[in-house]
């Protein structure tokens, strides 16, 4: 990351060009010239240039904030374009921080943009956060949320935090005017396997857009001196109901590990270890099964070509099976297996029975289990291994490593990726 | 004495691969401590116990600490269980 930034100069008046440019907001008594000058002297660190960071940075740039720091370790991918509206098709493969800076520069060249191409890390986060007045958490993973929050408490900066998933969003302003920090509300990170990210849960672009714009609004209110309305409240947005709820939060927790009266966290830690998950929204590859219970996509392709009798069981959710599937697969969502859904188990039993008629029935019938990435398929194998042999006959369940996405990259390039 | 009471809202818990539903109504005593109320809900959705310390528990849109605090509920009161979501 680049060295220390010089402070933004204090100014006493707007130029004629600035007056024209910002005239529609200058006439608002709540903002006025005084607010605009404050805005021009404010710096905002945007952590994450994705679905939340894009609209946030866009509106802050348009409104004439002084400096925007843009942090992102990732490059633009095709599946980002549906919501990360600063990045165009031509930017695919380019670092998001720079792509965002380039798009914003076209919008307002008077703002200073400082792209940081890399993840926010415990080693450098505090130095970076100290150089900015306000921090916006637009990240997509749990470890980064704790890191950003702790850094803001240690540096004494307000944190405008947004998050979105599927058709819902949350917004809060932490460490602001006696209100709580993120840890006051969530002292312990959630167990990693209860966390859903946008890659496997999905998210509607408009929802990240709405929350990102709400974050921009709160940043703008703090920077211009109006003050935020969300110091002690969390906004919950439900897009399906079209409903916003404001939940009144607790005040700062006196025994909070970081913002409390006797804090135990006085420097930044290893947040990936603390949360037991990695600081990206990429899906982790779980290893629940011994390697003897797993096959590669190449091995499965050979079995398929050799016409070895078997059952292929696809355990993805229904909505994903509707996107694409292997035609010969039997589809039963993992959830139905977990719930021991009777109809689903009967379908499985029937298919096993049919397939067994093609064999001499001396050896166990192989059941290969596939999902998107090879995590749920391992959970399903464990369930299949517990099924009673008297009903299902003798079967040998294995999962296909890397799932259908590995199939798409290594075996069949026409198979859709999502 | 139990009566149909709080419509409790599961906030964003369906993301947490827990209950898989958004909203339902539960009959609980009119006067109940926040911890007892939580336990009533966990009886219906045992997996919520996994994230007890990782949620904002709110009654009538206001944070409530899980403990001995006595709540006096009115029919239709909304109880929300809000785990953080982290996507973006
Ligand atoms: Zn705190």
């Amino acid at each position: 990351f680049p060295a220390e930034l010089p402070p933004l100069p204090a100014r006493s008046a707007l130029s004629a060009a600035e007056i024209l440019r910002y005239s529609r907001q200058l006439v608002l008594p709540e903002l006025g010239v005084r607010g605009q000058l404050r805005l021009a002297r404010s710096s905002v660190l945007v952590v994450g240039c994705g679905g939340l960071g894009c609209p946030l940075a866009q509106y802050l740039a348009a409104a004439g904030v002084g400096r925007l720091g843009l942090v992102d370790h990732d490059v633009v991918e095709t599946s980002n374009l549906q919501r990360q509206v600063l990045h165009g098709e031509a930017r695919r493969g380019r670092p998001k921080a720079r792509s965002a800076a380039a798009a914003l520069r076209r919008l307002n060249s008077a703002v200073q943009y400082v792209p940081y191409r890399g993840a926010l890390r415990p080693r450098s986060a505090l130095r970076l956060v100290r150089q900015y007045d306000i921090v916006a958490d637009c990240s997509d993973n749990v470890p980064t949320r704790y890191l950003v929050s702790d850094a803001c408490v240690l540096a004494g900066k307000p944190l405008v935090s947004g998050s979105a998933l599927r058709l819902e969003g949350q917004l809060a302003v932490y460490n602001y005017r006696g209100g709580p920090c993120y840890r006051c509300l969530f002292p312990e990170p959630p167990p990693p396997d209860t966390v859903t990210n946008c890659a496997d849960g999905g998210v509607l672009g408009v929802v990240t857009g709405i929350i990102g714009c709400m974050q921009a609004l709160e940043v703008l209110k703090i920077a211009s001196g109006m003050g935020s309305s969300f110091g002690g409240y969390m906004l919950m947005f439900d897009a399906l109901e079209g409903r916003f709820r404001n939940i009144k939060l607790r005040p700062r927790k006196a025994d909070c590990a970081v913002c409390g009266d006797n804090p135990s966290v006085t420097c930044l830690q290893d947040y990936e270890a603390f949360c037991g998950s990695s600081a990206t929204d990429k899906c982790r590859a779980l290893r629940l099964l011994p390697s003897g219970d797993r096959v590669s996509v190449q091995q499965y392709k050979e079995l398929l070509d050799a016409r070895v009798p078997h059952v292929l069981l696809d355990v993805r959710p229904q909505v994903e099976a509707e996107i694409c599937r292997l035609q010969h697969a039997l589809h039963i969502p993992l959830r139905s297996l977990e719930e021991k859904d009777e109809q689903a188990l009967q379908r499985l039993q029937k298919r096993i029975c049919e397939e067994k008629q093609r064999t001499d029935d001396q050896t166990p019938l192989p059941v290969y289990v596939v999902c998107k990435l090879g995590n749920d398929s391992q959970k399903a194998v464990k369930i299949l291994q517990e099924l009673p042999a008297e009903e299902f006959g003798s079967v040998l369940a294995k999962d296909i490593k890397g799932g259908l996405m590995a199939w798409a990259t290594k075996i069949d390039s026409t198979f859709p990726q999502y | 004495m139990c009566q149909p009471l709080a419509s409790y809202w599961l906030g964003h818990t369906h993301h947490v691969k827990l209950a898989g539903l958004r909203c339902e109504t539960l009959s609980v005593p009119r006067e109940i401590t926040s911890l007892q109320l939580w336990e009533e809900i966990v009886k219906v959705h045992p997996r919520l116990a996994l994230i007890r310390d990782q949620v904002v528990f709110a009654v009538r849109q206001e944070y409530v600490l899980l403990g001995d605090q006595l709540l006096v509920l009115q029919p239709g009161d909304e109880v929300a269980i809000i785990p953080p979501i982290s996507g973006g």
Side-chain angles (χ1 to χ4, degrees), chain A residues 129 133 135 148-161 172-185 222 230-232 249-252 256 258-260:
Chain A
V129 165
D133 300 315
V135 179
V148 174
S149 176
D150 285 2
C152 285
V153 171
L154 296 177
K157 308 287 180 178
L159 172 61
V160 180
S161 178
V173 179
Y174 295 114
N175 196 39
Y176 179 71
R177 294 188 177 166
C181 79
Y182 190 69
R183 279 203 201 232
C184 290
L185 296 181
I222 296 170
F230 285 99
L249 297 176
R250 58 166 305 143
R252 186 181 69 89
C256 172
V258 61
C259 81

Side-chain angles (χ1 to χ4, degrees), chain A residues 6 17 20 23 27 41 75 81 101 125 144-145 167 182 202 255 291 298 328 330 344 352 359 394 400 408-409 411:
Chain A
L20 178 60
S23 55
V27 298
R41 217 174 56 200
V75 296
L81 303 178
T144 303
R145 293 198 175 267
L167 290 160
Y182 190 69
D255 61 348
S291 53
Q298 289 91 345
H328 63 287
L330 172 68
I352 289 171
T359 70
S394 157
I400 299 179
T409 51
I411 306 294

